[in-house]
Amino acid sequence: MNYLDFEKPLAEIEGKAEELRAMARREEGMDVEDQAAALDKKAADLLRDLYTDMTPWRKCQVARHPNRPHCKDYIKALFTEYTPLAGDRNFADDHAVMGGLARFNDRPVVVIGHEKGFDTKTRIERNFGMARPEGYRKAVRLMEMADRFNLPILTLVDTPGAYPGKGAEERGQSEAIARSTETCLQVGVPLISVIIGEGGSGGAVAFATADRLAMLEHSIYSVISPEGCASILWKDAEKMREAAEALRLTAQDLHRLGVCDVVIKEPLGGAQRDKDAAIAAVGKALASMLAGFGEADRDSLIASRRRKFLDMGSKGLAA
């Protein structure tokens, strides 16, 4: 387990409990279970305290936790007959974006998501979940295919933002993001998006301009990262805590503001502490949201989605 900065006291207690049990395994006859159990209880109480009324900056840290389940985990656990489709039919295949045809609860769908990678090798291969123009053009191709064959679209968002490199700009990064966002608004099939970690800037909006937007309890969704915001406003990236407060980027804030439709509860300590439970919760939420569409026709879906985004922000910042 990788521990975050604010979890260091928890790491010490859980480490001591594990040390005691390791000693007992080495030395036959040593009984340390009562002491270890007391430490387990202390750790559980501390974990509950740490994850109660968390600050926005702590939620940012949890949303970025390297052990959280990623897009690949969700697809493997929740979807059957997944057939990946590659490339934008123009330049290349972007490994930061994965997607294809699948079945969800035996219903054919198109699933698209950002994949960050799990270790150094895969993170470099996946570009840390930061898509290039060809990734968004691949997503557009898949969404248009879903529209043509009347398949619901499910997107899993987990990205710090679109890749800001020179090559990406030369190949039309902003146009690709805009085109993907436009396609989200124009498809005549149900489009459901879940923020499973970070929802960063236009790179996330390009997948999350959906009929229904769900967020995991400790995920974030923002026009800019707290560090980026602090660098612009205060010329000091170390003011990221103040920026996180001001940005209203947590699932709870965005639900109050009407941006997020559903907040999905995570296991105590975050999705990284119990991946199976977190994935099951997302699957249950997806099934519920998908069932809510019934037999909605194309025109009413597009009109309803348009109205949703025109109304966004009407509650004001006082929410």
Side-chain angles (χ1 to χ4, degrees):
M1 171 64 69
N2 290 300
Y3 291 91
L4 300 169
D5 290 344
F6 70 88
E7 294 177 319
K8 284 181 180 177
L10 179 66
E12 292 176 10
I13 296 170
E14 291 187 337
K16 287 177 183 176
E18 181 52 37
E19 284 175 18
L20 285 173
R21 291 191 170 102
M23 287 172 56
R25 287 193 293 269
R26 287 195 302 268
E27 300 181 29
E28 192 175 340
M30 178 181 282
D31 184 10
V32 298
E33 197 49 46
D34 287 347
Q35 293 169 278
L39 287 171
D40 287 342
K41 184 180 184 307
K42 187 176 180 181
D45 291 341
L46 179 57
L47 182 67
R48 189 171 294 104
D49 291 342
L50 289 173
Y51 279 80
T52 300
D53 296 326
M54 293 176 68
T55 64
W57 175 242
R58 285 190 176 182
K59 283 187 177 284
C60 290
Q61 292 177 284
V62 176
R64 297 167 175 172
H65 199 292
N67 295 133
R68 282 177 79 84
H70 293 172
C71 177
K72 201 170 184 180
D73 298 314
Y74 287 97
I75 289 177
K76 184 178 180 180
L78 298 177
F79 298 87
T80 56
E81 298 182 35
Y82 172 63
T83 305
L85 299 175
D88 65 347
R89 293 184 176 173
N90 183 38
F91 182 77
D93 182 38
D94 187 350
H95 296 291
V97 175
M98 59 187 300
L101 297 164
R103 286 184 178 273
F104 176 72
N105 290 346
D106 206 35
R107 180 174 179 176
V109 298
V110 165
V111 58
I112 306 167
H114 299 96
E115 175 55 49
K116 286 184 170 180
F118 298 87
D119 53 27
T120 301
K121 181 182 176 182
T122 57
R123 284 170 188 149
I124 292 171
E125 178 192 354
R126 303 282 185 177
N127 202 32
F128 299 88
M130 295 184 290
R132 297 176 171 91
E134 45 273 21
Y136 295 106
R137 290 176 180 136
K138 173 166 69 172
V140 168
R141 180 168 76 84
L142 295 181
M143 286 190 278
E144 288 177 345
M145 184 183 67
D147 194 22
R148 190 178 308 121
F149 294 104
N150 198 32
L151 301 175
I153 302 167
L154 309 179
T155 68
L156 303 168
V157 177
D158 188 14
T159 180
Y163 183 60
K166 180 174 180 285
E169 294 298 330
E170 289 173 344
R171 295 194 300 279
Q173 182 75 291
S174 58
E175 184 274 340
I177 293 171
R179 190 72 64 193
S180 182
T181 307
E182 178 187 43
T183 305
C184 287
L185 288 168
Q186 291 179 345
V187 292
V189 294
L191 200 169
I192 299 170
S193 183
V194 182
I195 312 288
I196 58 175
E198 286 185 275
S201 192
V205 172
F207 285 9
T209 307
D211 297 294
R212 300 287 183 275
L213 175 69
M215 294 180 67
L216 278 170
E217 182 182 2
H218 302 308
S219 64
I220 59 171
Y221 188 28
S222 174
V223 69
I224 192 171
S225 70
E227 297 92 334
C229 177
S231 296
I232 293 170
L233 293 184
W234 294 289
K235 304 293 187 279
D236 181 3
E238 290 303 309
K239 288 190 175 288
M240 66 273 192
R241 292 168 183 80
E242 293 89 335
E245 291 276 354
L247 282 168
R248 303 288 187 96
L249 44 63
T250 69
Q252 295 74 21
D253 279 339
L254 293 170
H255 188 259
R256 283 192 291 270
L257 290 167
V259 176
C260 168
D261 300 299
V262 177
V263 177
I264 303 171
K265 190 169 179 59
E266 294 188 30
L268 181 62
Q272 67 275 6
R273 287 230 159 212
D274 191 341
K275 292 185 180 183
D276 291 340
I279 291 170
V282 169
K284 186 176 179 182
L286 280 172
S288 175
M289 288 186 286
L290 194 54
F293 287 98
E295 299 297 324
D297 65 274
R298 178 185 182 85
D299 291 339
S300 64
L301 270 173
I302 294 172
S304 175
R305 192 181 305 134
R306 181 175 184 272
R307 175 51 52 191
K308 173 187 176 180
F309 284 91
L310 287 173
D311 288 345
M312 203 167 283
S314 61
K315 291 185 178 181
L317 290 176

